Amino acid sequence: MAEGEEAPALLSCWEKDLEEALEEGGCDLETVRNIIQGRPLSADLRAKVWKIALNVVGKGDSLASWDGCLDLPEQSIIHKDCQELVGQLSVPEEKSVLLLDIESIITFYCKSRNVKYSSCLGWIHLLKPLVHLHIPRSDLYNCFYAIMNKYIPRDCFQKGRPFHLFRLLLQYHEPELCSFLDTKKITPDSYALNWLGSLFSSYCSAEVIQAIWDGYLQQADPFFIYFLMLIILVNAKDVILAQESDSREEMIRFLETSPASLDIEDIEDLFSLAQYYCSKTPASFRKNNHGLFGSSLLGLKDDDTDLSQALCLEISVSEILQANQLQGEGVRFFVVDCRPAEQYNAGHLSTAFHLDSDLMLQNPSEFSQSVKSLLEAQKQSIESGSIAGGEHLCFMGSGREEEDMYMNMVLAHFLQKNKEYVSIAKGGFIALQQHLADINVEAPENGYGHWIASTSGSRNSINSVDGEFPNGSSDGKGVKSLVNKMTVALKTKSVNVKEKVISFIENTSTPVDRISFNLPWPDKASMERHVSSSDRLGKPYRGVKPVFSIGDEEEYDTDEIDSSSMSDDDRKEVVNIHTWINKPDVKHHFPCNEVKENGHMFPSHLLVTATHMYCLREIPSRRGLAYIQSRQALSSVVKITSKKKHPELITFKYGNSSTSGIEILAVERYLIPNAGDATKAIKQQIMKVLDALEN
């Protein structure tokens, strides 16, 4: 076979694998993703893949019991829009039948959801790529409903919350472009209403929108549309900034239709860039706005913040504390404490840089010098690998609106300078104190030494936090002294900027294991309260021993056993990670961090086979290799728990049961992204093992 003829053979090979998996039934989205691996889908496979991605396989006909009356007050508008849509389609179906199906779907959806149809919302364009799947009306409606429910955000209308959120995301990554559009009074809802409302199907060709939806639906992440929108703007940035003389209406028209310029060859780059920007965005962007998507109304209570008045993205204090513990390419914050000096001296986050916001009006020249020191300190802390280092600036105030007025002016100053990655700590220092109290509530005698430093030497309660470290050190060598030195330096005009920066860096380079920084499990006492003998461990599964149960509450141990620390690294088996992940008997693979009692985290991989769960701990000095840190039989898992405040932290307890109760023999903890999916898969495999034991 000629060299140029090999590609189709390879393509048909994976398509055959996909077809076989789809024909077998019970195929899930993870399996589909693993086979497709981002490759283009053929038309005959697309319908099946999209139905799996939208979770509508096997769903019934929702319109079966409907009377078919097309009698809404806005029915004439619906009919007109449906006619226009059908006129744009090139499909083999009889157009009169297709028109009736589309109008019935829109009408039934409006009636069943009690919503009013409006042409400007772009809903009807969602049916354009779905019609090309050539599926029955029942499937067409189920797919449309699933997309509306999962991927179209609430309040997707003029001045709606989703567009205020997009402006904050644009400002975070592209402040210059955001400022330019703000100056022109061009808000995202003026050009992106149909981007978001139709998932780009209003403007893109059928071929392009199918490719976009292929990737987007397989992502199964509704927030990813924001990053696709962002990349379209970033790509057009130079053209936009060059249109200074154009009218507002001309610019809006250009922006609104810019997705139409996408070609099929652009899609791979579009997704790659979107993934990159996504990785550079704080998790709080999603977590603070999770109520935007989905049918549940529970999340709406959390979304009471008026984003139209927000200066910048808000970051939860829990994310700030955890972020700098992480290694690698994740988001890391350089925290800037903007409270007055007396509040700062009484207690502050031990890695925070102090920038007294009062100086901005009281002493502008000193403020300007402090800003230069801040930016230099940020640069040097990143280069030195300091735990205080991060390219993302997060400003922290007191959390009291009247006191944070000057901090907001400082924030505006940085935004006006087009500084990217600018955010604010949600709730300020008050929220930080409360969070520390919540996660350490049972161990008040330990104070907040791992987290809070003080330059005043006073010992205070939660309202003015203890400034002493557990080891009692006050010699200026620990992390506690870092801001003390910086504060003195900033107020001594004779001190050179370089010297101030060196002082800051030296005192934030303390190894993580010396200060147990940033994990929300700051001490052994709080770690050792995960399960007690009086806890309700759940009923035995059909009387089978060992028993197994799942808990989603805060539960504690009084006598923990950390089995993974019992063996020396020198005696552990070293394996190739890629080889093990791809073993045929490995059913699930979950990248994670193994969490030790002292709060240290180790990049690891959980592998689940039919009967066992393995933890492979990466060896930093030997790329691609790992130790087999633990090997546990699934039948020995007696409980899986997670913390309410930190659902990604999963604890596995292993042991055996007898008439006298359950004996815990080993405990392991892992920080697992998408922990819900991981525990679900592991639970299902455990149930299969227990069923086999019973039979």
Side-chain angles (χ1 to χ4, degrees):
M1 180 178 291
E3 185 175 342
E5 295 176 351
E6 289 179 6
L10 291 173
L11 186 64
S12 63
C13 181
W14 73 261
E15 283 189 322
K16 184 178 179 182
D17 290 343
L18 178 59
E19 197 168 41
E20 288 176 355
L22 295 172
E23 290 298 328
E24 288 175 4
C27 186
D28 59 14
L29 183 56
E30 183 182 359
T31 302
V32 167
R33 274 197 298 245
N34 289 338
I35 297 174
I36 297 173
Q37 296 182 2
R39 288 171 288 212
L41 279 173
S42 61
D44 56 328
L45 293 175
R46 179 171 287 118
K48 294 179 180 179
V49 171
W50 284 15
K51 285 168 65 177
I52 289 173
L54 293 169
N55 196 28
V56 299
V57 176
K59 293 285 177 71
D61 185 357
S62 300
L63 283 74
S65 58
W66 178 49
D67 58 13
C69 290
L70 306 174
D71 54 0
L72 287 173
E74 64 273 21
Q75 197 68 49
S76 60
I77 299 174
I78 295 175
H79 182 74
K80 177 176 174 291
D81 288 349
C82 290
Q83 279 184 318
E84 289 181 2
L85 177 67
V86 171
Q88 299 168 12
L89 299 175
S90 299
V91 290
E93 289 94 333
E94 175 61 43
K95 293 208 169 183
S96 60
V97 175
L98 184 58
L99 172 62
L100 179 59
D101 285 349
I102 292 176
E103 187 171 356
S104 297
I105 286 169
I106 295 294
T107 304
F108 179 73
Y109 179 83
C110 291
K111 285 187 173 184
S112 61
R113 301 289 290 175
N114 194 28
V115 293
K116 185 175 181 179
Y117 177 82
S118 173
S119 297
C120 67
L121 298 179
W123 294 353
I124 197 165
H125 294 284
L126 293 170
L127 286 164
K128 192 190 299 182
L130 295 177
V131 166
H132 284 101
L133 298 179
H134 307 299
I135 52 179
R137 187 184 74 166
S138 58
D139 285 340
L140 194 61
Y141 176 80
N142 289 336
C143 288
F144 173 77
Y145 179 89
I147 290 171
M148 289 292 295
N149 186 50
K150 182 174 181 179
Y151 292 105
I152 305 301
R154 289 190 180 89
D155 303 337
C156 189
F157 44 68
Q158 292 285 341
K159 299 181 180 180
R161 181 183 178 90
F163 301 100
H164 297 311
L165 180 61
F166 180 65
R167 182 196 164 274
L168 294 177
L169 181 67
L170 177 64
Q171 177 186 255
Y172 194 78
H173 290 284
E174 293 289 340
E176 181 186 11
L177 180 56
C178 183
S179 177
F180 178 82
L181 294 175
D182 287 348
T183 302
K184 293 285 188 178
K185 293 184 170 54
I186 298 175
T187 54
D189 57 329
S190 66
Y191 59 84
L193 184 62
N194 280 332
W195 293 10
L196 199 53
S198 73
L199 305 183
F200 297 121
S201 57
S202 292
Y203 301 102
C204 296
S205 67
E207 184 183 32
V208 168
I209 197 58
Q210 285 170 352
I212 291 176
W213 282 26
D214 282 345
Y216 183 47
L217 296 182
Q218 287 177 56
Q219 287 275 341
D221 173 14
F223 279 97
F224 197 71
I225 191 72
Y226 277 96
F227 298 98
L228 296 175
M229 292 164 60
L230 180 63
I231 298 308
I232 288 176
L233 280 188
V234 171
N235 187 56
K237 178 180 177 180
D238 292 342
V239 178
I240 296 169
L241 296 179
Q243 293 179 337
E244 176 69 37
S245 60
D246 288 2
S247 68
R248 177 177 179 271
E249 290 69 26
E250 287 173 329
M251 293 189 68
I252 289 175
R253 181 60 187 163
F254 169 77
L255 290 170
E256 189 176 15
T257 58
S258 55
S261 62
L262 286 171
D263 292 325
I264 192 70
E265 293 80 12
D266 299 326
I267 305 306
E268 184 177 351
D269 289 341
L270 174 68
F271 273 79
S272 296
L273 287 168
Q275 289 282 12
Y276 172 79
Y277 276 79
C278 184
S279 71
K280 292 290 186 181
T281 302
S284 295
F285 170 73
R286 300 163 185 269
K287 291 185 177 179
N288 292 347
N289 300 283
H290 63 88
L292 274 181
F293 294 95
S295 59
S296 172
L297 298 177
L298 297 177
L300 292 178
K301 295 180 180 179
D302 300 329
D303 294 342
D304 55 357
T305 307
D306 185 0
L307 295 183
S308 66
Q309 302 301 312
L311 272 174
C312 57
L313 278 183
E314 289 187 331
I315 312 299
S316 68
V317 291
S318 61
E319 181 176 6
I320 294 170
L321 292 175
Q322 292 179 33
N324 286 32
Q325 175 74 20
L326 302 175
Q327 303 298 317
E329 298 298 318
V331 173
R332 292 167 63 87
F333 297 101
F334 186 86
V335 180
V336 182
D337 193 321
C338 290
R339 293 174 301 145
E342 62 273 12
Q343 291 185 28
Y344 175 82
N345 291 337
H348 53 264
L349 186 66
S350 58
T351 53
F353 184 104
H354 186 224
L355 180 64
D356 190 341
S357 56
D358 292 353
L359 291 176
M360 190 170 182
L361 296 181
Q362 296 173 2
N363 194 333
S365 61
E366 189 173 337
F367 174 78
S368 178
Q369 184 69 14
S370 298
V371 170
K372 290 179 181 178
S373 297
L374 183 158
L375 296 176
E376 185 63 23
Q378 181 191 24
K379 177 184 175 183
Q380 295 294 332
S381 63
I382 293 172
E383 292 175 353
S384 69
S386 164
I387 57 171
E391 60 179 342
H392 298 252
L393 278 179
C394 185
F395 291 83
M396 179 176 288
S398 68
R400 301 179 184 92
E401 186 175 349
E402 64 280 4
E403 293 178 5
D404 289 339
M405 179 178 64
Y406 289 142
M407 181 199 67
N408 292 338
M409 294 173 64
V410 172
L411 261 174
H413 170 83
F414 277 83
L415 293 171
Q416 286 166 4
K417 298 292 184 183
N418 293 329
K419 177 67 176 172
E420 63 180 8
Y421 302 151
V422 172
S423 61
I424 187 172
K426 187 175 183 179
F429 193 73
I430 292 175
L432 174 65
Q433 288 178 301
Q434 185 58 56
H435 178 70
L436 293 174
D438 289 343
I439 63 177
N440 200 27
V441 68
E442 296 297 331
E445 70 276 10
N446 292 319
Y448 304 92
H450 293 297
W451 309 75
I452 301 296
S454 170
T455 57
S456 64
S458 61
R459 297 182 63 85
N460 302 301
S461 66
I462 186 172
N463 294 318
S464 183
V465 197
D466 185 356
E468 305 244 350
F469 276 77
N471 59 14
S473 66
S474 58
D475 57 3
K477 295 180 181 178
V479 171
K480 181 178 78 170
S481 65
L482 73 95
V483 197
N484 187 11
K485 291 190 175 184
M486 278 309 299
T487 303
V488 173
L490 288 172
K491 293 185 178 181
T492 306
K493 294 185 180 181
S494 61
V495 178
N496 185 275
V497 170
K498 183 177 180 181
E499 293 173 347
K500 291 185 277 188
V501 171
I502 292 173
S503 171
F504 180 80
I505 299 303
E506 285 178 347
N507 289 285
T508 54
S509 298
T510 306
V512 175
D513 60 354
R514 283 185 56 196
I515 63 170
S516 301
F517 183 71
N518 276 352
L519 277 177
W521 322 284
D523 52 71
K524 187 175 180 179
S526 63
M527 288 289 292
E528 289 185 340
R529 296 184 61 263
H530 210 69
V531 163
S532 71
S533 58
S534 61
D535 283 340
R536 295 176 60 189
L537 295 172
K539 297 180 180 180
Y541 181 73
R542 301 183 188 172
V544 181
K545 299 177 182 181
V547 298
F548 163 69
S549 60
I550 286 186
D552 56 358
E553 300 178 329
E554 292 268 6
E555 297 181 353
Y556 303 94
D557 270 342
T558 54
D559 51 350
E560 295 236 315
I561 301 170
D562 193 340
S563 62
S564 59
S565 63
M566 291 181 178
S567 55
D568 193 318
D569 282 349
D570 292 335
R571 285 176 275 168
K572 294 173 186 169
E573 182 182 351
V574 177
V575 298
N576 183 287
I577 298 173
H578 180 76
T579 301
W580 269 62
I581 289 173
N582 290 284
K583 280 188 170 186
D585 59 333
V586 172
K587 294 182 175 294
H588 302 285
H589 164 229
F590 305 106
C592 64
N593 279 283
E594 180 192 2
V595 182
K596 309 299 290 182
E597 280 189 293
N598 58 11
H600 296 173
M601 296 200 297
F602 301 92
S604 303
H605 301 264
L606 280 182
L607 306 182
V608 182
T609 69
T611 57
H612 285 78
M613 185 164 72
Y614 295 80
C615 172
L616 307 185
R617 182 195 286 183
E618 295 180 7
I619 305 174
S621 60
R622 303 174 68 181
R623 187 179 180 88
L625 300 181
Y627 296 117
I628 299 182
Q629 187 68 12
S630 95
R631 175 183 182 274
Q632 302 285 0
L634 293 177
S635 59
S636 69
V637 179
V638 294
K639 198 164 188 69
I640 303 176
T641 59
S642 64
K643 285 179 173 288
K644 285 181 179 178
K645 298 280 185 183
H646 307 281
E648 299 88 359
L649 178 64
I650 306 299
T651 300
F652 293 91
K653 299 182 177 70
Y654 309 92
N656 51 47
S657 59
S658 64
T659 54
S660 59
I662 296 175
E663 179 185 10
I664 304 296
L665 300 177
V667 177
E668 296 173 0
R669 293 182 189 82
Y670 300 97
L671 197 64
I672 309 175
N674 300 318
D677 294 339
T679 53
K680 180 181 178 182
I682 295 170
K683 173 189 172 183
Q684 289 173 345
Q685 195 58 39
I686 290 172
M687 292 305 182
K688 290 179 182 178
V689 172
L690 295 182
D691 280 338
L693 289 174
E694 182 183 38
N695 295 332

